[in-house]
């Protein structure tokens, strides 16, 4: 793979390095990769309209229990992030739902913002207007296998809006995934969407998730991870974020000495698999927290929390970790029912998950974002969508206050809807 995609000047991936662990960190393998600035590469370079390309350093990171898996994770994420920015303006169809030649996923099916947010004069996003033309890209209805249009502005990072009508939300990567084939990638993307929805439902409603007894899952976990649990100085606690969707979803939380929150979460076909992934992500976040504290990062005003990195920095101040008290120190409701699933192939596992969502009233869609640079390689990049699930965005003042999903979840589990949604900055990285 690196023979094809790596070159320090012209490669899709320009830099790869393994990250040494700090003495107090668990013995994981971490790596980092810099990917090519997609704004400098056609077709994106043709879409700049004379503006200068952003000069930000673009990085992907990965962590795993073994070296090879960590490198695959890192390179996969770097390529995934690159692909999220790549689109061809000639393949974007401008129109309204009434003028399109295929079914579409209208933006108002997504969880976005509330009326009071749109009414604020300084709010930078607009409410979707079905009579105003916007850009659409050709995706797929994963249940029917038939084509469907998806909003371009909600599909790509760095999408350049053609009008104010396309200023619908900030860009985030939820649902993006890389995999050895399209089915595996779509399956992974759907699971990430479910994971973020699970955390959002519990965080915004201040619903404490049930705590998991990790000892019940030790026989199903890799022996190396079990050894890390026994020897790591940071103790992780695990919580069940499963929602009314019935998909096993796990949150891992560790509180290192001196501030910061090491957070990881995952939705997987089984609780053991979700716990493993959540633990690795939490230990990966620990490395980030350690680095940010060492470099002296600090945010004084919550209004300056604008991106996921800022959410991590905000919680470096120990006093601010009180916002996690409802997760860590509360009476806990009973666990919701969940069921694992399996399949002989990636396509079987994808079909099982799509069917599970459909039974619960949620449609699944996908967009193949694999760039031409990957032609001939066994790597596909996609973005998966489940309209109606709650996103976990970043930034103070632009929280997704559309409460349709939150009310549905609260009703489904019998949780009283709060008088005020919890918009404390979440700790999710």
């Amino acid at each position: 793979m690196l023979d094809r995609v790596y070159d320090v000047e012209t490669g899709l991936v320009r830099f790869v390095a393994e990250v040494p662990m700090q003495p107090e960190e668990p013995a994981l393998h971490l790596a980092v990769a810099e990917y090519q600035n997609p704004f400098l590469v056609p077709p994106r370079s043709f879409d700049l309209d004379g503006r200068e390309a952003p000069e930000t350093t673009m990085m992907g990171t990965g962590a795993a229990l073994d070296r090879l898996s960590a490198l695959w994770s890192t390179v996969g994420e770097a390529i995934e992030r690159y692909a999220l920015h790549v689109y061809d303006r000639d393949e974007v169809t401008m129109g309204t739902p009434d003028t399109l030649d295929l079914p579409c996923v209208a933006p108002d099916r997504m969880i976005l913002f509330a009326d009071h947010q749109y009414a604020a004069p300084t709010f930078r996003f607009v409410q979707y207007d079905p009579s105003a033309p916007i850009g659409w890209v050709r995706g797929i209805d994963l249940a029917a296998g038939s084509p469907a249009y998806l909003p371009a502005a909600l599909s790509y990072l760095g999408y350049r809006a053609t009008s104010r009508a396309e200023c619908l939300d900030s860009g985030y990567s939820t649902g993006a995934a890389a995999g050895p084939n399209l089915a595996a990638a779509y399956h992974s993307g759907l699971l990430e969407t479910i994971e973020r929805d699970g955390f959002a439902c519990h965080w915004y409603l201040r619903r404490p998730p049930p705590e998991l007894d990790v000892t019940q899952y030790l026989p199903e976990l890799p022996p190396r991870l079990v050894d890390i649990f026994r020897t790591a100085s940071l103790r992780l606690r695990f919580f069940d974020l499963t929602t009314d969707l019935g998909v096993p979803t796990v949150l891992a939380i560790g509180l290192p000495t001196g501030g910061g929150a090491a957070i990881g979460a995952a939705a997987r076909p089984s609780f053991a698999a979700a716990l493993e992934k959540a633990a690795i992500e939490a230990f990966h976040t620990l490395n980030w927290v350690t680095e940010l504290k060492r470099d002296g990062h600090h945010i004084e005003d919550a209004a300056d929390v604008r991106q996921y990195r800022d959410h991590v920095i905000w919680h470096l101040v120990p006093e601010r970790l009180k916002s996690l008290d409802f997760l860590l120190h509360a009476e806990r409701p009973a666990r919701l029912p969940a069921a694992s699933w399996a399949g002989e192939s990636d396509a079987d596992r994808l079909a099982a998950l799509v069917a599970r969502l459909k039974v619960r009233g949620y449609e699944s869609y996908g967009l193949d974002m694999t760039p031409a640079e990957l032609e001939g390689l066994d790597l596909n990049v996609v973005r998966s969508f489940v309209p109606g699930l709650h996103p976990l965005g970043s930034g103070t003042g632009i929280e997704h206050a559309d409460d349709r999903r939150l009310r549905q979840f609260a009703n489904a589990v019998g949780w009283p809807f709060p008088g005020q949604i919890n918009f404390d900055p979440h700790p999710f990285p």
Side-chain angles (χ1 to χ4, degrees), residues 17 19 29-33 60-64 69-75 77-78 277 280 284:
V19 179
H29 292 265
L30 270 66
V32 61
T61 62
S69 297
L71 290 170
W72 265 116
S73 175
T74 301
V75 172
E77 180 172 287
K277 179 61 174 174
I280 292 172
H284 190 181

Side-chain angles (χ1 to χ4, degrees), residues 98-332:
D98 292 339
T99 65
L100 299 175
D101 60 350
L102 294 171
C104 69
V105 178
D108 55 7
R109 291 177 60 186
M110 307 287 194
I111 299 298
L112 295 171
F113 305 102
D115 290 342
H116 73 271
Q117 292 175 291
Y118 291 122
T122 59
F123 195 65
R124 70 174 188 260
F125 301 115
V126 299
Q127 196 162 16
Y128 171 61
D129 179 359
S131 67
I134 63 171
W136 305 85
V137 289
R138 189 183 178 104
I140 184 173
D141 180 327
L142 292 173
S146 55
Y149 280 119
L150 299 164
L154 301 179
S155 300
Y156 299 99
L157 298 184
Y159 178 80
R160 183 167 62 86
T162 61
S163 70
R164 177 73 173 147
E166 290 193 282
C167 297
L168 299 169
D169 198 357
S170 55
Y172 47 92
S173 63
T174 298
N181 54 64
L182 288 175
Y186 284 135
H187 183 257
S188 180
L190 289 176
L191 289 173
E192 183 179 70
T193 303
I194 292 166
E195 163 214 312
R196 302 296 168 89
D197 171 78
F199 185 86
C201 286
H202 287 84
W203 181 263
Y204 294 132
L205 296 177
R206 292 186 185 273
R207 181 181 188 268
E211 188 159 7
L212 298 173
D213 179 3
V214 69
T215 62
Q216 296 181 3
Y217 301 95
L218 293 182
E220 302 174 67
L221 297 177
R224 182 173 174 81
L225 183 59
V226 175
D227 288 341
I228 288 174
F229 286 158
R230 290 171 178 158
T231 60
S233 59
L234 179 69
R235 174 177 173 254
L236 296 181
R237 294 173 63 184
F238 296 92
F239 303 90
D240 184 358
L241 289 181
T242 302
T243 67
D244 49 324
L245 302 178
V247 175
T249 307
V250 173
L251 171 69
I253 301 178
L255 300 180
T257 303
I263 300 285
R268 287 294 184 272
S270 70
F271 275 104
L275 191 150
E276 176 184 346
K277 179 61 174 174
I280 292 172
E281 286 198 358
F283 286 132
H284 190 181
T285 305
L286 172 63
N287 178 267
W288 198 10
V289 167
T290 303
E291 177 184 340
L292 291 170
K293 287 197 291 190
R294 182 182 63 241
D295 294 342
H297 290 279
H298 181 75
I299 293 178
E300 189 64 36
D301 189 339
D304 294 327
V305 174
R306 298 189 177 94
Q307 54 186 322
Y308 289 108
R309 178 175 181 270
D310 297 337
H311 285 261
V312 178
I313 294 173
W314 177 256
H315 289 91
L316 296 181
V317 178
E319 291 76 15
R320 294 171 182 166
L321 295 174
K322 293 178 181 178
S323 65
L324 277 64
D325 280 353
F326 78 93
L327 293 173
L328 301 172
H329 310 291
E331 282 192 30
R332 305 196 175 281

Side-chain angles (χ1 to χ4, degrees), residues 36-56 58 85-90 157-162:
Q36 183 66 255
N37 187 338
F39 295 99
L40 298 176
V41 181
R44 283 311 304 272
S45 60
F46 301 147
D47 194 49
L48 292 176
D49 195 24
R51 301 180 307 172
E52 292 185 0
E55 296 181 355
T56 56
M58 300 189 172
H85 291 81
V86 176
Y87 66 89
D88 189 339
R89 178 62 66 178
D90 292 340
L157 298 184
Y159 178 80
R160 183 167 62 86
T162 61

